[in-house]
Amino acid sequence: MTVDAPLDAPAVATSANSLLTAPILPTLLRLALPNSIAMFGTALVAVAETSYIGRLGIEPLAGIALVFPFVMLTQMMSAGAMAAASLPRSAARSAPATAIAPRRWRCTRPSSASAADFSSPR
């Protein structure tokens, strides 16, 4: 199989920085597709579970309605914690340490952190 392409066509971004060089819309769609599929699958399972429990009676359905907000709260807090934990690591990989925070702003021990440790330099 051969592909006929003009010689003056722009090169496709295949570098590690394709998030920076590739077109925005196709990149967003490529990154959003797996999450969209997972969300659709989760919604489908939730509807199937609710349908099944609804056939058991009113009391089990009321129990699910009572527990559901706490389950969602737990899942969202977990997702937020995982995202927050990955941010400093990715920032440290992409920038030198001096660009993130000067040495005098850093805290050596987490227990000694206070508002004064992270304020502007004196």
Side-chain angles (χ1 to χ4, degrees):
M1 181 172 123
T2 61
V3 177
D4 295 327
L7 295 176
D8 59 345
V12 177
T14 58
S15 68
N17 292 327
S18 65
L19 287 175
L20 300 175
T21 58
I24 294 172
L25 185 61
T27 303
L28 282 176
L29 293 176
R30 179 177 52 88
L31 293 172
L33 185 63
N35 291 332
S36 299
I37 292 171
M39 288 175 56
F40 178 73
T42 302
L44 189 65
V45 167
V47 168
E49 287 176 348
T50 304
S51 171
Y52 175 73
I53 292 172
R55 293 178 188 209
L56 296 176
I58 295 174
E59 290 83 9
L61 194 58
I64 292 296
L66 180 68
V67 171
F68 180 75
F70 297 110
V71 171
M72 290 306 295
L73 177 67
T74 304
Q75 288 177 352
M76 293 303 115
M77 287 175 57
S78 172
M82 292 180 73
S86 68
L87 287 176
R89 187 179 318 151
S90 62
R93 287 182 187 162
S94 65
T98 56
I100 295 171
R103 168 90 41 208
R104 64 180 165 226
W105 288 3
R106 291 194 200 131
C107 178
T108 56
R109 290 180 292 149
S111 61
S112 68
S114 68
D117 293 335
F118 300 106
S119 62
S120 61
R122 296 174 203 113

